[in-house]
Amino acid sequence: HPNLAEAPQPLIKLELNATQRLIESLAGHSTILFRPPYNADSRPSSLSELIPIEVAQSMGYLTVLENVDPRDWQRPSEQELLERVKSELPQGQILLLHDGGGDRSATVAALPKILDYLKERGNRVVSMRDLLGLDKESVMPTVSAEQKSLHFMASGLGFHFLRLLHDGLHWFLVVATLLVLIRTILVLFLARLHRPPTTPNPFLPPPVTVLVPAFNEEKVIVKTIESLLTSDYAGELSILVIDDGSVDGTRELVRGIDDPRVELICQANAGKAHALQRGVNAARTEFLVFVDADTQFERDALSELVGACQSPEIGAVSGHARVGNLRSFLARCQDLEYICGFNLDRRAYAAWNCITVAPGAISVVRKSAILAAGGFSFDTLAEDTDLTLAIHKAGYRVEYQPDAVAHTEAPETFATLARQRFRWAYGTLQCAWKHRDILFNPRYRALGWFSLPGIWFFQFTLVAFSPFIDLLFLQSLLFGNVGDVLPYFLAFLLCDLLLALAAVAMEGLPLRKALMIIPQRFVYRPLLSYVIWKSLLHALRGAWVGWGKLQRTATVSVP
């Protein structure tokens, strides 16, 4: 029941054709009669209200307009409805009443009184075909058996499918909205509850080895190493760069750094996980810090990170990654994603010991925990997620230190962002499937009941279905029932905004930064849906994906 006067002509034709097919599939008859809804039916007030009549005429329909409209859709009492009919009857003899669109009890109750009144006036109530002087077959032609079969296949099943799809998406929206609301409340509560592990006092900094896997990193590797060398860490520090078959000047640049704390290991190209495991095997310290080759540490980041890992029950500590190249809108969107997505989640998950990834960009891990977890696995692309879940299984706690800050390089184009997120999504999918024994396992508590199910639903299912939800929202805009979907849409957006406000407040940033979450969601939603579906299709095909390393721009700056 859309207002066709506000619809484009192609949509008017779609409405008429779809309604005709629906009538034919249900009744076995078509119809030549048409009445446009809203004001165009009797008293058009603008040229646009005549357009639906013109379109219908061009398609062969006979337009029927009423003269008496008692506006029963306003739900007057039955007596008021009768009085309205009486007052309008001198104007014409075609009466409009509604049998849908809500509670029609007053219309049903008033109808016998209206009929009695018409009989008293000497009026005779007839069907439209009698009024026109046409037979039934002319007004509602019978659909042939061949057409009926075709309509059942093309229209009947199609309408059933659309109904199932519409109902399915509706209930998915209801369930998804409730789960998003619950998750938002939990994340906000847990993030406020979390207290990062404190550095012992007095604290004797232990020897630390920093592992930097590198593959064609000549633009960024020197600045990354310099940020580590200028750290205020007071303990023994070794930096081990594992070059994974670079074909640019990465090796020469590392060799040119005149500092005995920097060591280079070269290997044939085998992948990031192999490079990291090579570094673990070569390291001679218990505490290993993982750093991506494009990530620059703030001066106190190493001290904060290692200081938080002193309790023997802690196997790994995630640092606080921020985007360092904020010169484009896309990079600023990713910075907000790091703040209110990755970092806020880790802050919340740490309260219940259910962090799913200590990132390769900035984290510290005990070597004994890595060995207990079986070392780096080579059968997934998300080696940091894989290792983190394995460390949980080995009985260690995984923590988060928000004061250990590093700045990493984010993709600056949609193409490079899509490549990065595809690798992340595909690797996370592999890890979620590989470690599916954690799911709803009481042994792992919140990891199995909260964060890992969250990956399956919020990172995969919800994102995968978001294009269909967007289509449902678009359909509601076009067909005039936006109120059916808008509350859910606003609920999602409100939850996003609340999380963004909380995240920027916890980091001491201006609250206005959180407003970028609104355009960010519209920019990210189709892209993330694309990479999720691409990941699912690759997984079904069993296709392998390589490093997927981005082309560096060397634009990271540390405040």
Side-chain angles (χ1 to χ4, degrees), residues 294 323-335 337-338 342 408-422 424 524 527 548-553 555-556:
D294 65 333
V323 171
N325 53 322
L326 299 176
R327 63 181 186 174
S328 67
F329 170 78
L330 193 59
R332 290 193 293 273
C333 282
Q334 292 170 83
D335 185 47
E337 181 187 24
Y338 276 61
F342 306 151
T408 190
E409 183 175 314
E412 295 186 343
T413 67
F414 281 100
T416 54
L417 178 61
R419 285 202 299 273
Q420 182 198 64
R421 295 312 162 92
F422 168 62
W424 288 5
Y524 269 47
L527 184 141
K549 193 189 76 64
L550 303 178
Q551 187 67 36
R552 305 302 188 195
T553 60
T555 54
V556 172

Side-chain angles (χ1 to χ4, degrees), residues 382-402:
E383 66 289 327
D384 47 6
T385 302
D386 200 348
L387 179 64
T388 304
L389 294 175
I391 287 173
H392 276 293
K393 286 183 173 180
Y396 288 91
R397 182 177 182 86
V398 179
E399 261 293 352
Y400 172 64
Q401 175 52 275

Side-chain angles (χ1 to χ4, degrees), residues 30-346:
S30 59
T31 180
I32 66 168
L33 304 179
F34 166 67
R35 184 194 74 84
Y38 295 88
N39 291 333
D41 52 7
S42 59
R43 301 179 184 88
S45 58
S46 67
L47 185 63
S48 63
E49 292 174 354
L50 295 175
I51 292 176
I53 298 175
E54 180 188 16
V55 173
Q57 275 187 321
S58 70
M59 297 175 69
Y61 288 97
L62 178 63
T63 301
V64 179
L65 306 178
E66 89 284 347
N67 309 91
V68 181
D69 181 5
R71 302 175 302 283
D72 63 334
W73 47 270
Q74 294 178 343
R75 296 184 177 83
S77 66
E78 56 184 278
Q79 188 59 38
E80 172 63 21
L81 191 52
L82 176 61
E83 294 302 322
R84 291 183 182 184
V85 171
K86 288 180 179 181
S87 66
E88 292 194 25
L89 264 177
Q91 301 177 29
Q93 294 177 306
I94 298 181
L95 170 63
L96 173 66
L97 296 173
H98 293 78
D99 68 347
D103 183 7
R104 298 266 73 89
S105 57
T107 301
V108 173
L111 185 56
K113 297 181 180 180
I114 294 173
L115 293 172
D116 290 340
Y117 173 72
L118 294 173
K119 186 176 181 180
E120 292 172 5
R121 277 172 46 99
N123 294 114
R124 185 163 61 95
V125 179
V126 298
S127 67
M128 184 57 62
R129 63 185 176 89
D130 289 335
L131 189 64
L132 295 170
L134 299 173
D135 58 35
K136 182 178 179 180
E137 187 65 23
S138 297
V139 176
M140 294 195 71
T142 302
V143 178
S144 68
E146 182 181 348
Q147 288 176 310
K148 192 180 296 184
S149 174
L150 179 63
H151 287 151
F152 178 75
M153 294 300 296
S155 301
L157 290 178
F159 283 120
H160 282 298
F161 172 75
L162 288 175
R163 176 63 181 268
L164 289 173
L165 179 63
H166 186 278
D167 289 350
L169 286 175
H170 170 75
W171 284 109
F172 179 80
L173 266 179
V174 173
V175 173
T177 303
L178 288 174
L179 291 177
V180 167
L181 286 171
I182 292 170
R183 182 186 182 276
T184 299
I185 293 169
L186 276 175
V187 167
L188 290 174
F189 171 75
L190 293 174
R192 294 294 299 174
L193 188 67
H194 174 248
R195 295 293 180 269
T198 56
T199 302
N201 188 16
F203 173 55
L204 182 62
V208 168
T209 301
V210 180
L211 303 182
V212 187
F215 175 62
N216 293 342
E217 307 286 2
E218 65 177 0
K219 291 184 178 180
V220 295
I221 190 68
V222 173
K223 286 186 177 180
T224 295
I225 294 174
E226 287 176 348
S227 75
L228 296 167
L229 292 174
T230 57
S231 164
D232 67 358
Y233 190 70
E236 181 183 335
L237 176 65
S238 301
I239 300 173
L240 189 56
V241 180
I242 309 97
D243 182 85
D244 188 47
S246 296
V247 293
D248 63 356
T250 300
R251 298 180 184 183
E252 290 70 21
L253 289 171
V254 174
R255 290 191 181 105
I257 297 175
D258 186 19
D259 194 303
R261 294 173 292 177
V262 180
E263 182 181 349
L264 175 67
I265 296 178
C266 297
Q267 65 176 32
N269 183 257
K272 189 175 182 180
H274 285 273
L276 287 168
Q277 187 59 50
R278 178 80 178 271
V280 170
N281 295 338
R284 296 177 292 275
T285 62
E286 168 68 356
F287 293 97
L288 308 178
V289 173
F290 296 116
V291 182
D292 283 343
D294 65 333
T295 303
Q296 298 179 37
F297 275 37
E298 291 191 0
R299 193 168 183 274
D300 62 347
L302 267 177
S303 301
E304 295 287 353
L305 196 63
V306 178
C309 196
Q310 296 311 297
S311 173
E313 67 175 7
I314 297 177
V317 175
S318 165
H320 186 86
R322 289 285 306 274
V323 171
N325 53 322
L326 299 176
R327 63 181 186 174
S328 67
F329 170 78
L330 193 59
R332 290 193 293 273
C333 282
Q334 292 170 83
D335 185 47
L336 185 60
E337 181 187 24
Y338 276 61
I339 293 169
C340 67
F342 306 151
N343 294 329
L344 184 66
D345 282 357
R346 289 190 187 107

